[in-house]
């Protein structure tokens, strides 16, 4: 009796390619291939309140995560950076020496969270997350002239998004916990970015893009917004007085973002919409807190 032929399962189409132009690692002075995403492989979905662009899987290419192609990682010394920074830091001997000395620690830290990652194959979601963590650790050793605090803020929130995706695919492996850890790191770095900018110790005015995602550049106002939304969603809750104080500061900053409500290059429409929504949330939190405080009898204060 002839067996019924099983239907052929089509593999997703190829989504990435190796660029003809190789990347030279400034730490170990070895070239490695640059993997890039083919154009037309994504189907854009909604924008979250964290300015994260979601993508809808397609029948031809399946799930695609454009984020993972924005970072390069040397397979020899495990230096990882945003692609443009491999050239930017090539003459900074102090940064390069610090990165070279931290090679072993960097690899071990990443293996502890993302075991079995591979920097030579076509990158997977796990490999991409590992590269982002390598980059987060790499920027820790780079001079302030290259705006590493802001870049660590952006990398951290992207890493949190990637860990959310890993948690969907592999529940029970603590990726949800790891994601929250990176959200909190991102909040810290965004806050420190604003402090450093105000003090003039680490300006960020010369950066080509502020993200936070790869689909749109929301500029410096995006940094202010991200600091506020992350504080609202992931900020500490032990000291509520401090929490509400930060809400008040962020509410005033958000009010300055959307001003009279007209969008332009500095204040694009999607940012205005999310800023208004966040403003309303912060305003409600502060009103509720004031209402509760007013209702407390004098002998209970």
């Amino acid at each position: 009796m002839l067996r019924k032929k099983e239907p052929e399962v089509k593999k997703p189409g190829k989504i990435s390619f190796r660029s003809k132009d190789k990347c030279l690692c400034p730490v170990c002075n070895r070239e490695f291939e640059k993997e890039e995403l083919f154009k037309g492989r994504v189907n854009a979905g909604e924008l979250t309140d964290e300015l994260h662009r979601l993508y809808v899987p397609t029948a031809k290419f399946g799930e695609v995560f454009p984020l993972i192609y924005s970072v390069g990682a040397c397979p020899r010394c495990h230096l990882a950076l945003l692609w443009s920074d491999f050239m930017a830091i090539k003459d900074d001997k102090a940064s390069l020496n610090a990165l070279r000395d931290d090679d072993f620690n960097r690899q071990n830290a990443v293996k502890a969270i993302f075991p079995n990652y591979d920097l030579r194959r076509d990158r997977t979601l796990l490999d991409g997350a590992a590269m982002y963590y390598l980059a987060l650790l790499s920027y820790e050793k780079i001079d302030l002239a290259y705006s590493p605090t802001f870049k660590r803020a952006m990398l951290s929130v992207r890493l949190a998004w990637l860990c959310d995706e890993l948690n969907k695919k592999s529940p029970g492996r603590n990726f949800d916990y790891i994601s929250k850890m990176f959200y909190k790191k991102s909040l810290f770095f965004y806050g420190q970015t604003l402090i450093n900018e105000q003090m003039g110790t680490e300006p960020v005015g010369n950066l080509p893009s502020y993200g936070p995602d790869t689909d749109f550049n929301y500029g410096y106002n995006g940094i202010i917004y991200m600091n506020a939304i992350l504080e609202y969603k992931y900020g500490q809750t032990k000291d509520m007085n401090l929490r509400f104080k930060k809400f008040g500061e962020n509410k005033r900053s958000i009010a300055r973002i959307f001003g009279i409500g007209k969008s332009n290059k500095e204040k694009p429409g999607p940012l205005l919409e999310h800023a208004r929504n966040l403003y309303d949330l912060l305003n409600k939190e502060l009103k509720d807190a004031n209402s509760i405080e007013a209702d407390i009898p004098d002998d209970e204060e």
Side-chain angles (χ1 to χ4, degrees), residues 10-267:
K10 291 186 178 180
K11 293 183 179 179
K14 192 167 179 59
I15 61 174
S16 67
F17 66 99
R18 307 293 171 139
S19 172
K20 292 181 181 178
D21 299 322
K22 293 186 177 182
C23 183
L24 178 65
C25 176
V27 170
C28 66
N29 293 314
R30 300 293 183 90
E31 287 187 334
F32 64 95
E33 292 182 313
K34 182 178 181 181
E35 185 180 0
E36 298 186 63
L37 181 67
F38 276 118
K39 291 183 179 179
R41 284 349 188 220
V42 296
N43 183 17
E46 67 178 35
L47 184 72
T48 72
D49 60 356
E50 295 167 7
L51 306 181
H52 175 36
R53 177 66 63 190
L54 302 179
Y55 292 90
V56 180
T58 64
K60 186 172 183 180
F61 301 108
E63 284 188 304
V64 180
F65 302 96
L67 274 179
I68 66 176
Y69 301 96
S70 297
V71 169
C74 174
R76 291 182 179 272
C77 69
H78 291 237
L79 168 70
L81 301 169
L82 297 167
W83 286 111
S84 60
D85 280 335
F86 282 96
M87 282 294 292
I89 69 165
K90 66 183 179 65
D91 297 320
D92 185 345
K93 292 184 179 179
S95 294
L96 295 178
N97 287 335
L99 287 164
R100 190 175 293 111
D101 292 342
D102 196 53
D103 179 349
F104 184 76
N105 293 332
R106 195 161 57 242
Q107 291 187 52
N108 282 347
V110 176
K111 286 179 181 177
I113 299 180
F114 304 106
N116 304 318
Y117 73 89
D118 190 335
L119 300 182
R120 297 181 184 275
R121 65 188 173 193
D122 286 356
R123 61 190 72 185
T124 64
L125 182 60
L126 178 71
D127 298 332
M131 290 181 193
Y132 266 87
Y133 192 23
L134 284 170
L136 188 61
L137 297 173
S138 295
Y139 280 106
E140 181 181 339
K141 304 298 180 181
I142 290 179
D143 189 87
L144 292 180
Y146 305 97
S147 307
T149 305
F150 163 70
K151 289 171 183 175
R152 293 175 79 191
M154 185 172 65
L155 292 168
S156 293
V157 76
R158 290 182 181 183
L159 188 45
W161 296 337
L162 294 175
C163 287
D164 281 339
E165 294 295 340
L166 285 169
N167 186 57
K168 293 175 187 176
K169 296 181 177 303
S170 303
R173 294 184 58 186
N174 294 323
F175 285 121
D176 51 345
Y177 172 81
I178 296 169
S179 174
K180 289 179 182 177
M181 177 183 74
F182 286 121
Y183 272 124
K184 291 180 182 295
K185 280 184 177 290
S186 183
L187 169 58
F188 170 78
F189 289 127
Y190 269 115
Q192 194 61 47
T193 295
L194 293 174
I195 292 172
N196 292 356
E197 170 72 14
Q198 291 163 8
M199 293 179 64
T201 57
E202 187 182 353
V204 295
N206 61 343
L207 296 175
S209 178
Y210 298 82
D213 210 328
T214 58
D215 71 317
F216 200 88
N217 176 16
Y218 287 98
Y220 187 75
N221 286 330
I223 296 179
I224 296 172
Y225 173 82
M226 289 300 294
N227 180 65
I229 189 67
L230 293 175
E231 183 68 54
Y232 176 74
K233 296 176 71 171
Y234 308 105
Q236 64 84 29
T237 55
K238 291 182 179 179
D239 185 341
M240 294 306 294
N241 288 330
L242 177 60
R243 181 169 173 79
F244 291 133
K245 180 183 177 182
K246 289 188 176 182
F247 280 3
E249 294 171 353
N250 288 336
K251 176 187 166 184
R252 291 188 289 274
S253 296
I254 290 298
R256 288 194 293 271
I257 285 182
F258 60 78
I260 60 175
K262 293 183 179 180
S263 64
N264 53 45
K265 277 188 176 182
E266 293 298 318
K267 302 171 186 177

Side-chain angles (χ1 to χ4, degrees), residues 287-298 301:
K287 282 184 177 179
D288 289 347
N290 290 333
S291 176
I292 292 172
E293 185 176 330
D295 288 341
I296 298 176
D298 291 341
E301 291 182 343

